[in-house]
């Protein structure tokens, strides 16, 4: 499964990457630069989040990372891999997520250029939100809704709809949720 992202090598150098394969134990990374065998690496994968480990093998076009995360993070990582597999096979339709109107509806919308807009949550699902704002960010722009990163996917009459980079987990989602 191919997932884009970036990785951080010892010494603080950061590079873009793409995965060739993902499992709970190891991740094959297509990368322009590799560290040394055993070096700690943190991957920041789109739609997955951070994954830490150590370089297990080095190849001409990247390296294999031996995944080293705690049990709680491993459970979340497994859920993300299942979600990605469902998305790739067309089995999951995120638009079918139930929508709620949370108790706390005010939200700061941080634009890619750093400007902050006042927004109001129209409705919310585990995978995205509809936000009322006075100034519409363009479709495709990466925004931050409160503390959650999202991508603007369409404009609405009074605002915009955005898809979260990482959906809420069922145990953290409900009327009490604050973006």
């Amino acid at each position: 499964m191919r997932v884009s992202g970036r990785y951080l090598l010892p010494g603080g150098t950061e590079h873009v990457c793409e995965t060739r394969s993902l499992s709970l134990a190891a991740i094959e990374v297509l990368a322009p630069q590799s560290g040394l065998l055993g070096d700690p690496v943190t991957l920041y994968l789109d739609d997955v989040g951070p994954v830490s480990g150590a370089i297990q093998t080095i190849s001409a076009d990247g390296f294999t990372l031996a995944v080293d995360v705690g049990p709680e993070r491993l459970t979340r990582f497994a859920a993300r891999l299942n979600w990605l597999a469902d998305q790739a096979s067309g089995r999951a339709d995120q638009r079918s997520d139930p929508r709620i109107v949370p108790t706390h509806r005010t939200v700061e919308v941080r634009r890619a250029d750093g400007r902050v807009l006042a927004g109001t949550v129209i409705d919310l699902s585990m995978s995205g939100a509809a936000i009322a704002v006075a100034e519409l960010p363009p479709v495709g722009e990466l925004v931050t809704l409160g503390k959650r990163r999202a991508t603007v996917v369409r404009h609405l009459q009074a605002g915009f709809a955005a898809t979260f980079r990482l959906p809420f987990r069922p145990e953290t989602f409900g009327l009490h949720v604050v973006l």
Side-chain angles (χ1 to χ4, degrees):
M1 183 178 325
R2 293 197 181 241
V3 176
S4 298
R6 61 191 200 288
Y7 63 101
L8 188 63
L9 290 173
T13 60
E14 187 174 302
H15 304 278
V16 297
C17 66
E18 184 177 69
T19 62
R20 179 178 298 160
S21 67
L22 283 158
S23 76
L24 294 178
I27 301 172
E28 284 186 70
V29 181
L30 297 171
Q33 183 176 342
S34 176
L36 303 173
L37 286 177
D39 274 355
V41 174
T42 301
L43 294 174
Y44 299 94
L45 299 175
D46 297 346
D47 299 322
V48 175
V51 181
S52 298
I55 295 178
Q56 185 175 24
T57 61
I58 298 173
S59 65
D61 59 354
F63 57 90
T64 301
L65 183 78
V67 176
D68 183 20
V69 295
E72 182 180 315
R73 179 68 186 132
L74 191 62
T75 301
R76 290 196 313 260
F77 183 41
R80 296 303 302 154
L81 291 183
N82 288 335
W83 180 83
L84 284 171
D86 287 347
Q87 291 297 309
S89 68
R91 288 191 305 253
D93 180 8
Q94 290 301 307
R95 292 174 296 171
S96 65
D97 284 346
R99 306 222 181 284
I100 64 167
V101 178
T103 306
H104 183 78
R105 295 184 56 206
T106 58
V107 65
E108 278 190 351
V109 178
R110 185 170 303 277
R111 301 269 317 265
D113 63 8
R115 286 184 292 149
V116 177
L117 309 172
T120 303
V121 177
I122 298 169
D123 65 27
L124 181 66
S125 75
M126 288 175 57
S127 60
I131 307 293
V133 289
E135 177 186 332
L136 294 177
V139 171
E141 182 174 320
L142 183 62
V143 296
T144 303
L145 305 176
K147 295 180 182 177
R148 196 164 280 274
R149 292 177 50 183
T151 303
V152 176
V153 292
R154 70 182 166 278
H155 289 148
L156 309 170
Q157 188 174 4
F160 66 92
T163 300
F164 299 131
R165 301 289 286 199
L166 291 173
F168 280 98
R169 295 188 320 249
E171 60 270 17
T172 62
F173 186 74
L175 292 176
H176 64 282
V177 74
V178 176
L179 287 178

